[in-house]
């Protein structure tokens, strides 16, 4: 956790991103670490946790991070939490809370609120198009015998 917090401070002090850091550990060793890089890379998905997950997957040459733990300087946002579940990390340790983050302008509460709404009630218009055509890929996936499950 000390390293995750140090990375969050590095991010603030360097001006390269928001005040967040993350470290991924496997078998007691750090295999990936990052700080928030949203503003320095012009990538809204470059949160510390996401970047660290990408790095760890490259190190392990695997899209799953079973057997790994994440240390993050703040309770993960909805995007990062989704990525953490998809990566199948074993455990998450966090320092600051989402309420602490909201207190300095990083408030994700509106996303949680939106997820509870039906699609037609959300602020972001979502219009379904060409479902029948798109189902072809799903049908082929379901029938594919040599697919890599994830």
């Amino acid at each position: 956790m000390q390293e995750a917090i140090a990375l969050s401070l590095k991010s603030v002090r360097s001006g390269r991103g928001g005040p967040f850091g993350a470290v991924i550990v496997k078998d007691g060793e750090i295999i990936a670490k990052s700080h928030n890089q949203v503003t320095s890379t012009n990538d809204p998905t470059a949160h510390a946790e996401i970047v660290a997950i990408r790095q760890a997957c490259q190190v392990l040459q695997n899209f799953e991070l079973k057997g790994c733990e994440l240390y993050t300087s703040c309770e993960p946002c909805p995007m990062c939490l989704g990525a953490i579940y998809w990566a199948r990390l074993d455990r998450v340790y966090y320092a600051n809370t989402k309420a602490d983050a909201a207190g300095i302008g990083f408030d994700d509460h509106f996303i949680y609120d939106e997820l509870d709404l039906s699609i037609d009630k959300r602020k972001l218009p979502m219009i379904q198009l060409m479902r029948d055509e798109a189902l072809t890929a799903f049908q082929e996936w379901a029938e594919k015998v040599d697919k890599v499950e994830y």
Side-chain angles (χ1 to χ4, degrees), residues 5 12 17-18 24 26 43 54-55 57 90 94-95 102 130 143:
I5 293 168
V12 171
I24 295 180
K26 183 172 177 65
D43 179 354
R54 291 173 182 159
Q55 289 175 0
C57 287
D90 287 0
Y94 66 94
M130 300 180 68
E143 296 167 4

Side-chain angles (χ1 to χ4, degrees), residues 4 15 20 27 36 51 55 64-65 68 80 82 85 87-88 97 105 113 115 137 143:
F20 306 98
D27 300 326
N36 180 283
V51 176
Q55 289 175 0
E64 291 184 342
L65 297 177
C68 296
C80 292
Y85 276 107
R88 295 175 177 85
T97 67
D113 291 344
L115 290 173
E143 296 167 4

